Amino acid sequence: MMNFTVPKLTRENLSRARSYLRRNDIPRSLEAICSGISDILGSRLIGQARYEVEVLVHEYITELNKHPDIIKFFQKRKIHATPFVRYQRGQERELLDRLESILHSMKDEQQSKHIAREQKQVCKKEELLEKGRALMQAKDYPRGKGVLRRVVDGWGHEEGLTTEIAMLFLEHQLYFEAVELFESVIDQFPSDSKAYGGAVRCYKELQEFERCEQVYLKALKQFGAHPKTLFNMAELYRRWRKLDQAYDYAKRAISADPNMKEAKAILKEIEARIF
């Protein structure tokens, strides 16, 4: 079927191509122009419609050849003769192949740059971690905490990393600093069981029984009523001198694991006090 008007999609693709070009987004511009040319190849345009798309493509190619990023792209390949991209009527297929080749090369370069940036960031992270550990080992806590905080700020989105640093703070008895990180991990990565255990250890050292209780309740909600968790809650309440709760959780622990001697010992102790 002959087309006497430029199809809407073709016109939109050609328009987007120029818009992205003027916004210096060359890859997206090339993707749009390639889609537009593919549309042209799939349409049987004649007369005014054919002339119109040829003008639009020619104007785009003229702008493309003058763009600094395209000039840099070809000069990097020791190509200085212009125009870098040529368009002649009836050679849309050759033009499409040329543009797709440029697009693929640019995407490969972007991917290589992205990988290089990621590798650089990994090296930077490891460098800071090593420095932070060394400072902590030397008991230079102010500087050590500062360096390790930078790691958390930069890479805290990586699962397990903040927990590792919090454990290091805990190892050096920096309970306030450690528990702050453990709590942030619980919020961000609720399935990180080590963070719950670390937070509990900190709060026990700080005698913050109420906050310790809150962590245990979060753990029960997240992981279910594991016998060990139930026993730990019973032990917490015993230390907190909330014997009714200690008794209830000890019984729940035994119900979940009838062979749990530690829970039975708590029951026996509490019963001796009451009776």
Side-chain angles (χ1 to χ4, degrees), residues 238 242-244 246-248 250-252 254 261-275:
R238 186 189 68 79
K242 291 191 173 186
L243 299 185
D244 288 344
Y247 191 84
D248 289 341
K251 287 189 68 176
R252 288 179 62 184
I254 294 169
K261 295 180 181 179
E262 301 93 332
K264 290 179 180 179
I266 289 180
L267 283 184
K268 186 175 180 180
E269 177 186 335
I270 293 173
E271 287 170 351
R273 291 187 184 186
I274 296 175
F275 303 109

Side-chain angles (χ1 to χ4, degrees), residues 200 203-204 208-217 236:
V200 164
Y203 284 135
K204 283 183 177 179
E208 293 277 0
F209 295 131
E210 186 172 350
R211 292 194 174 185
C212 190
E213 176 190 38
Q214 292 170 1
V215 174
Y216 275 135
L217 291 174
L236 168 68

Side-chain angles (χ1 to χ4, degrees), residues 180-195:
E180 180 184 356
L181 295 184
F182 284 131
E183 288 282 13
S184 72
V185 172
I186 290 170
D187 291 338
Q188 189 175 4
F189 303 104
S191 61
D192 187 336
S193 59
K194 291 183 179 179

Side-chain angles (χ1 to χ4, degrees), residues 201-210 212 239-240:
R201 287 174 60 188
C202 290
Y203 284 135
K204 283 183 177 179
E205 291 292 340
L206 295 170
Q207 298 292 299
E208 293 277 0
F209 295 131
E210 186 172 350
C212 190
R239 290 183 59 189
W240 201 356

